[in-house]
Amino acid sequence: MKGHDTRSHAHSANANDEEKVVTRKQKAENKTHEGATPPKKAKAENSNNGHANGKSSADVAEEFKEFCKATKEHLSVEQLKEILEANGVDCSTLNDDAVVPKCQDMLFYGALEKCPVCNGNLEYKGNNYSCTGSYSEWSTCTFSTKDPPRRNEPVKLPDSVQSSAVYDLLKRHQDTQSRANAQAELKKADKPFTGMMISLSGRLTRTHQYWRNKIEKHGGKVANSVAGATCLVVSPAERERGGSSKVLEAMEKGIPVVREAWLSDSIEKQEAQPVDAYDVVSDITVDGKGIPWDKQDPSEEALESLSAELKLYGKRGVYKDTMLQDLGAKIFEKDGIIYNCAFSVCDLGRGVNDYCIMQLITVPERPLNFYYKKGRVGDDPHAEERLEEWENNSEAVKEFVRLFEELTGNEFEPWEREKKFEKKPAKFYPIDMDDGVDVRYGGLGLRQLGVAAAHCKLDPLVAKLMKVLCSQEIYKYALMELGLDSPDLPTGMLSKVHLERCERVLLDFIQKVKATKETGQKARAIWEDFSQRWFTLLHTTRPFIFRDYEDIAEHAAAALETVRDITEASHLIGDLTGSTLDDPLSDRYKKMGCSIAPLDKDSDDYKMILNYLEKTYEPVKVGDISYGVSIDNIFAIESEASPSYNELKKLPNKVLLWCGSRTSNMLRHLKKGFLPAICSLPVPGYMFGKAIICSDAAAEAAKYGFTAVDRPEGFLVLAVASLGDKVTELKSPPEDTESLEKKKVGVKGLGRKTPDESEHIVWKDGIKVPCGRLIPSAHKDSPLEYNEYAAYDLKQVSIRFLVSLKFEEQDTVIDTEE
């Protein structure tokens, strides 16, 4: 996974802004939907002033208003239902309030066609027509439009309305061309701020006059006071000082207070964006408590995530909010079943992204406790939550089973005993926790690190390394960057079954999207369905729609590999929340099955590696800042999981190569060796399929080893790879990676830059070190910046060195004054 300077969900302020059903305000109480006058006479059609049939958008709006008034006065709800049913609309689930506008829309503009994406029904919501159908049992359709497809035929009118006083009016609106013209005129006149009164406060990045001009140009008006405003736009300075009188007044009146980005984003997308996604009230409430994380600024959400205490650490973990831990509480277990379940559902079409926790808890000398919580991460005030005591254990178990089946639509025991489960529409999916302790809870906390290292009997440098690898911090950082950091779910303690289901969903999607012949909206629907499946399985506070293979590589494939490796680290580290005087670091070191020895800085190996790094490293760029690198320490590695050096030196065509990885993945690599990439994608890192990927450029590996600007430490691995007797060189992504995987041949992907071959050396036992300075290659059109090597046989790659690095800003002056 490449490094980032902030939370890695790059789709930050509203990660799924283009895909979600928008909540834009209706145009002036929806002038497009509330009024009508009889059609203009023919003579008006010749002086149309550029408008369809001589009618402006205001004319159409007024006409619709009068039309609605007349039909509401002269037609009963039952008659309107008859009209809808005569045109194929099922009214059985519609209440009277929904029947009236739905029928008026049909009579004036024409009957709606089915959704062009999923063939579901279109409904008028807010200022859009949105689909109510589904892509699959995992996701509802997110199709939304202002200009819906309509049937090119007259609306069928039942006999019951023929004697009505408005029958002639209804007949006049049967002309399909006239209806199409009216719809086109309204679409042309539509602007993002139409009908809105927007109030401005504080020093914004642009002047108030600038924004006044922009708002008025795009259909809105600027209000000098908060009263009656649609929303209040504020500056960052007002948030920092706790809010002005305008902000406090807006809060009292329940008027949304939003960031300036809401204006620019709405104008850019020509759509008023959902105000709750730009809400800043969280910043001016006490400590931001109880504010959903998805409504906070991403950087502030990241800080809250890093400081948050994990509430649920695994299958036997009592949820923190029960407040029962100090009473000796334990999860109830009976007949081999542990009564602790976590659930997730992400459905962007319905605007749902919830988690749920359900536990039966035993407390000494007290009745059985039933705990239930459902809501959004960080939104505790709006969560459905209860803690109840049950005198009868059997009845408590029955209630637990009943709620499981209500939430998921599946039976409880087949799930718990055999992991049999079928996703049901609009229902939760269980997050299968493993029986262990998530490292974000069980790892060493900040206050424990010094004591643990001080009592460690290992070499001081190895103890320092183990202290880092066993700390909570690096794992919290990794999940925060990936946006998979919910403190309510044990993402670092998922079962093998759950991880395999994630992998299967990912591989099925990649195969489907590569094979599909669909284009346009239907192709996009495949991506939308996968996105909602993915973020149901791996819960995030900011779900979004994957757009391309780069998104899949970064936020799905690499994310799943990281979660898998963190889960492995959780199992190895266990629970270190108690005393650290008994030297837990030495114990975990032994469990790794790996010999780690620091290199002497005067040794030939150390100097060789330093030279290799200096010549093949180029600055990592994060935003506008470039980062150089310096070596902290180098460790020689001999892992039981990798081929021994004696085995490896007998193999042909050996090269010492760089491998990059998150620090959070390192413990798993040292314990079990490298695993191949989880999938094949036409992007760097996954281009050659399920292979171990290395590079002869430290610059390439550093992209994966660098984590964040406020966490500059990282690691690179040096591994010896045997590429076989014959190396296949590729200048472009292979069409078929499966044949490469089966043949297990060595592959070299040729990049735009390559180490100068005249400076290569041979280390020992015929192992080549391509430590030449990076120069342009002959492959200027390659998708790879640097050479990549793919090894498909795990027995042909062995980790030999672990290089501890520090990334440092280049060309900066550090101010040491306080």
Side-chain angles (χ1 to χ4, degrees):
M1 176 65 69
K2 294 185 180 181
H4 297 275
D5 57 334
T6 60
R7 163 177 298 273
S8 185
H9 267 203
H11 315 72
S12 57
N14 184 22
N16 52 315
D17 50 10
E18 294 180 4
E19 286 72 22
K20 286 180 67 173
V21 176
V22 299
T23 57
R24 180 179 173 189
K25 295 284 186 181
Q26 286 182 293
K27 291 173 53 180
E29 289 302 305
N30 205 346
K31 293 179 182 177
T32 69
H33 261 61
E34 312 204 7
T37 55
K40 300 279 185 181
K41 298 296 183 181
K43 68 175 184 177
E45 295 174 2
N46 297 322
S47 56
N48 57 28
N49 297 319
H51 300 293
N53 290 342
K55 300 176 186 176
S56 68
S57 59
D59 293 334
V60 175
E62 183 61 28
E63 185 177 352
F64 185 68
K65 182 178 180 180
E66 293 300 322
F67 180 87
C68 291
K69 182 178 178 181
T71 52
K72 189 172 183 179
E73 181 179 346
H74 295 288
L75 294 176
S76 67
V77 172
E78 288 304 316
Q79 286 176 307
L80 295 175
K81 282 184 178 179
E82 286 184 37
I83 295 171
L84 289 173
E85 289 172 347
N87 289 274
V89 178
D90 181 12
C91 296
S92 61
T93 60
L94 297 178
N95 58 38
D96 291 353
D97 291 338
V99 166
V100 177
K102 189 177 184 69
C103 190
Q104 290 170 337
D105 177 88
M106 174 190 289
L107 290 169
F108 192 83
Y109 294 109
L112 293 166
E113 290 277 18
K114 293 287 188 179
C115 171
V117 178
C118 74
N119 206 39
N121 294 321
L122 296 177
E123 297 283 352
Y124 186 76
K125 297 179 181 178
N127 198 29
N128 274 6
Y129 293 84
S130 301
C131 181
T132 61
S134 298
Y135 298 135
S136 69
E137 66 276 14
W138 292 84
S139 58
T140 52
C141 183
T142 63
F143 176 76
S144 181
T145 181
K146 287 182 174 58
D147 185 23
R150 296 190 183 264
R151 299 179 198 168
N152 190 26
E153 61 185 35
V155 174
K156 297 175 183 177
L157 300 175
D159 295 340
S160 63
V161 303
Q162 292 185 9
S163 59
S164 166
V166 292
Y167 182 67
D168 289 341
L169 177 64
L170 300 183
K171 291 290 289 183
R172 286 201 296 271
H173 285 279
Q174 296 288 65
D175 178 27
T176 56
Q177 185 58 50
S178 176
R179 294 191 316 225
N181 289 340
Q183 191 81 358
E185 187 63 39
L186 291 173
K187 181 184 178 185
K188 182 173 67 177
D190 201 19
K191 296 179 180 180
F193 300 136
T194 301
M196 293 188 181
M197 292 289 289
I198 299 168
S199 183
L200 307 173
S201 178
R203 180 176 294 179
L204 305 174
T205 60
R206 297 295 191 108
T207 65
H208 283 214
Q209 186 59 46
Y210 170 88
W211 281 123
R212 179 184 292 273
N213 293 340
K214 285 288 187 181
I215 290 167
E216 291 176 352
K217 179 181 177 181
H218 291 86
K221 294 182 179 180
V222 175
N224 292 325
S225 65
V226 173
T230 303
C231 65
L232 173 65
V233 179
V234 301
S235 69
E238 289 204 32
R239 300 194 335 239
E240 290 166 9
R241 67 170 180 254
S244 65
S245 58
K246 263 191 173 183
V247 174
L248 297 176
E249 183 183 352
M251 292 175 64
E252 290 173 358
K253 294 180 181 298
I255 295 171
V257 182
V258 299
R259 292 181 285 117
E260 189 177 0
W262 177 77
L263 292 172
S264 54
D265 288 355
S266 297
I267 291 171
E268 180 185 347
K269 296 179 173 65
Q270 281 298 296
E271 188 102 64
Q273 298 301 291
V275 291
D276 59 355
Y278 297 79
D279 172 66
V280 297
V281 174
S282 59
D283 300 325
I284 55 178
T285 55
V286 179
D287 297 328
K289 299 299 183 183
I291 303 299
W293 284 15
D294 61 339
K295 293 184 180 180
Q296 297 184 29
D297 182 272
S299 61
E300 294 176 9
E301 178 189 349
L303 290 174
E304 187 163 339
S305 164
L306 293 174
S307 62
E309 184 179 347
L310 189 65
K311 296 182 179 182
L312 180 60
Y313 63 72
K315 191 65 173 175
R316 296 184 184 272
V318 175
Y319 191 74
K320 179 178 179 290
D321 289 358
T322 63
M323 310 297 286
L324 298 175
Q325 297 92 327
D326 293 340
L327 302 177
K330 293 182 179 180
I331 296 297
F332 178 71
E333 184 175 0
K334 183 180 179 182
D335 298 331
I337 291 178
I338 302 171
Y339 286 82
N340 180 12
C341 290
F343 310 89
S344 171
V345 62
C346 174
D347 194 331
L348 301 180
R350 295 187 295 129
V352 174
N353 185 43
D354 292 347
Y355 73 93
C356 182
I357 305 296
M358 198 165 64
Q359 299 183 327
L360 289 181
I361 306 165
T362 62
V363 179
E365 302 179 3
R366 286 177 57 173
L368 189 64
N369 284 264
F370 189 113
Y371 181 75
Y372 177 88
K373 183 179 181 181
K374 182 172 72 172
R376 285 198 169 200
V377 172
D379 195 13
D380 286 352
H382 297 101
E384 181 184 349
E385 183 178 27
R386 62 180 184 269
L387 178 64
E388 304 166 336
E389 290 188 346
W390 287 67
E391 297 290 345
N392 188 310
N393 288 7
S394 296
E395 293 299 316
V397 169
K398 287 180 181 179
E399 176 64 7
F400 189 98
V401 170
R402 184 193 71 78
L403 273 176
F404 180 94
E405 295 177 359
E406 179 182 295
L407 288 167
T408 67
N410 282 253
E411 294 182 7
F412 175 65
E413 283 214 23
W415 158 250
E416 280 293 335
R417 295 195 185 280
E418 304 171 53
K419 302 305 174 187
K420 290 183 178 179
F421 193 91
E422 182 181 345
K423 178 70 172 68
K424 302 293 184 181
K427 296 288 188 179
F428 279 88
Y429 193 90
I431 303 299
D432 195 32
M433 302 173 280
D434 212 351
D435 190 358
V437 179
D438 189 317
V439 68
R440 292 177 293 161
Y441 175 88
L444 291 173
L446 291 176
R447 295 181 180 179
Q448 296 176 293
L449 295 175
V451 177
H455 289 84
C456 184
K457 298 180 179 62
L458 298 171
D459 179 284
L461 292 179
V462 177
K464 179 183 175 183
L465 171 65
M466 290 301 299
K467 180 182 72 172
V468 172
L469 297 182
C470 292
S471 70
Q472 297 176 7
E473 184 186 17
I474 60 172
Y475 304 100
K476 282 188 172 186
Y477 257 100
L479 293 177
M480 177 273 291
E481 290 172 339
L482 294 169
L484 302 176
D485 50 349
S486 167
D488 300 279
L489 297 169
T491 310
M493 186 44 66
L494 299 178
S495 73
K496 183 179 179 181
V497 168
H498 194 83
L499 294 172
E500 287 175 347
R501 286 186 175 175
C502 292
E503 183 176 351
R504 188 162 60 249
V505 166
L506 174 60
L507 296 179
D508 287 348
F509 165 72
I510 293 171
Q511 184 178 7
K512 184 175 183 179
V513 81
K514 285 181 177 179
T516 187
K517 296 180 180 179
E518 298 287 1
T519 59
Q521 292 172 335
K522 291 193 175 181
R524 183 167 171 261
I526 297 173
W527 288 78
E528 292 183 357
D529 179 56
F530 167 75
S531 302
Q532 296 174 76
R533 289 175 188 244
W534 189 254
F535 292 125
T536 290
L537 291 167
L538 287 179
H539 191 88
T540 179
T541 56
R542 295 176 187 268
F544 63 93
I545 302 299
F546 289 92
R547 294 177 175 87
D548 50 38
Y549 286 124
E550 285 78 10
D551 269 355
I552 296 298
E554 185 170 355
H555 296 292
L560 179 57
E561 290 168 349
T562 297
V563 169
R564 174 200 66 197
D565 292 352
I566 290 177
T567 296
E568 186 67 39
S570 295
H571 281 295
L572 190 147
I573 293 170
D575 188 355
L576 296 179
T577 56
S579 172
T580 57
L581 299 178
D582 57 351
D583 194 7
L585 294 181
S586 294
D587 178 69
R588 272 51 177 188
Y589 175 81
K590 292 175 183 176
K591 289 181 178 178
M592 284 172 55
C594 180
S595 170
I596 303 175
L599 288 184
D600 188 300
K601 295 189 178 184
D602 292 325
S603 68
D604 291 340
D605 286 350
Y606 190 101
K607 293 175 183 177
M608 178 270 294
I609 293 170
L610 177 60
N611 176 58
Y612 193 5
L613 177 70
E614 289 176 344
K615 287 188 175 181
T616 65
Y617 179 80
E618 291 183 327
V620 173
K621 197 159 187 178
V622 180
D624 295 327
I625 303 174
S626 294
Y627 288 84
V629 70
S630 63
I631 291 180
D632 189 18
N633 286 292
I634 301 176
F635 300 92
I637 305 295
E638 190 70 56
S639 173
E640 294 176 2
S642 298
S644 69
Y645 183 79
N646 288 331
E647 292 174 306
L648 204 65
K649 69 181 184 181
K650 300 174 185 177
L651 299 177
N653 202 359
K654 300 177 290 295
V655 188
L656 187 66
L657 297 170
W658 295 101
C659 304
S661 180
R662 288 181 179 272
T663 305
S664 59
N665 300 38
M666 202 58 64
L667 201 60
R668 190 228 165 273
H669 296 331
L670 295 175
K671 178 177 171 57
K672 292 196 171 182
F674 283 130
L675 282 178
I678 207 166
C679 61
S680 173
L681 293 167
V683 297
Y686 296 92
M687 192 175 292
F688 304 111
K690 297 180 178 181
I692 298 171
I693 304 298
C694 309
S695 177
D696 53 22
E700 174 66 18
K703 295 178 183 178
Y704 300 84
F706 180 53
T707 54
V709 294
D710 53 352
R711 180 173 176 73
E713 299 84 7
F715 295 94
L716 296 183
V717 170
L718 275 170
V720 174
S722 170
L723 301 175
D725 294 317
K726 184 179 180 181
V727 178
T728 301
E729 293 189 346
L730 297 174
K731 301 176 183 178
S732 59
E735 293 184 5
D736 177 23
T737 59
E738 289 187 10
S739 61
L740 296 175
E741 294 165 12
K742 290 177 181 177
K743 294 176 183 176
K744 298 187 183 299
V745 295
V747 172
K748 180 181 181 181
L750 302 173
R752 301 188 297 275
K753 297 177 183 178
T754 186
D756 187 343
E757 193 168 346
S758 66
E759 299 180 21
H760 292 192
I761 65 171
V762 175
W763 177 35
K764 58 181 180 180
D765 296 311
I767 299 173
K768 302 170 190 174
V769 183
C771 54
R773 296 185 185 280
L774 292 172
I775 58 174
S777 73
H779 313 291
K780 297 178 181 179
D781 297 327
S782 171
L784 299 173
E785 185 173 9
Y786 307 99
N787 298 331
E788 287 189 359
Y789 297 77
Y792 297 93
D793 188 344
L794 303 186
K795 296 178 181 179
Q796 292 179 308
V797 181
S798 177
I799 297 173
R800 303 316 305 168
F801 299 101
L802 181 64
V803 184
S804 175
L805 302 173
K806 286 187 178 178
F807 294 89
E808 301 157 337
E809 283 190 35
Q810 291 189 327
D811 303 323
T812 57
V813 177
I814 300 174
D815 185 0
T816 58
E817 293 185 14
E818 302 228 350

